Amino acid sequence: MILTVTLNTALDITYRVTSLRPHAEHRVSEVVERPGGKGVNVARVLAALGYAVTVTGFAGGPTGQVLRERLAAAPGITDALVPVTGPTRRTVAVVDGLTGDTTQLNEPGPHIGAAEWAAFLRAYDTLLADARAVALCGSLPPGVPVGAYAGLIRVARSAGVPVLLDTGGEPLRRGIAARPDIVKPNATELAELTGSHEPARATRDARRRGAQSVVASLGPDGLLAATPEGHWRAAPPARLRGNPTGAGDAAVAGLLSGLVDGLPWPARLTRATALSAAAVLAPTAGEFDPADYERLLAAATVTDEESAA
């Protein structure tokens, strides 16, 4: 199975309005609730692709209960979330029907106590025994050590399980030094890590900081990868209009599934780019239309950056 870790899970709530206007009253035309958090979104995409996935992290309170009920209804996903006292956070996405833009509101998450963190570490160690790969995704809730991901990477590496890290800020800075197999920052996270706003240079710099491979999400411009086998840029056939929330998580699912399938890097990047683009066209994070994915998979392009240079 593939293991995804979401320490700061969320109940994702999507509101759709005709047009989002500041200081105005709005009538919501549709409300959708989904289990969320970056690693949960990754798991939902992987499950839709046919992979067996286990989700771990924390869940608590009424929102945590709803999240677990929604997760139980998702085929192919095993719930291994650790219960906590504090309530799981909510994230609210407001989709403007006129422009297609999304406004996101993210709560901080519950405070995790020392005993709860210790319980998670025990569960994580047990789950690694059956994992083919693990994804460590998203923000850290209050109370979790800022170097948590670095420690989790070391535990996975000791167990012989490849690790993908998708986070930002200081957790990324510390985590990358623990030598994860893949790091997948977005353009902002990459610039904050390296101090460079030139993606090719920043991606190479990030790899020198410890990651075996770095794949940067560049939004509508696709993915840029620096790996031991080479450097590539992958892009969808055209810029797509839709909901970008969850596009990066879909890319992580593509990279992780490509890793466990043993695909060469260009094929991994093609899959990740097509899934990311298909997620933009889907109404909510963690979903994609298989027909869109197949169409985009056939049309995505991968360029050898070293040859281009």
Side-chain angles (χ1 to χ4, degrees), residues 73-85:
I77 298 178
T78 299
D79 175 357
L81 294 168
V82 175
V84 293
T85 301

Side-chain angles (χ1 to χ4, degrees), residues 226-307:
T227 82
E229 289 78 30
H231 300 79
W232 293 276
R233 184 182 295 268
R239 288 181 172 244
L240 303 172
R241 179 177 173 179
N243 179 7
T245 307
D249 304 331
V252 168
L255 295 171
L256 208 58
S257 62
L259 186 156
V260 300
D261 288 346
L263 296 181
W265 268 104
R268 294 189 206 181
L269 294 168
T270 301
R271 179 183 291 183
T273 299
L275 282 170
S276 180
V280 170
L281 299 177
T284 55
E287 297 181 357
F288 67 94
D289 185 317
D292 286 336
Y293 167 57
E294 292 297 337
R295 172 175 58 83
L296 292 161
L297 185 65
T301 59
V302 178
T303 303
D304 187 330
E305 289 289 284
E306 292 177 333
S307 297

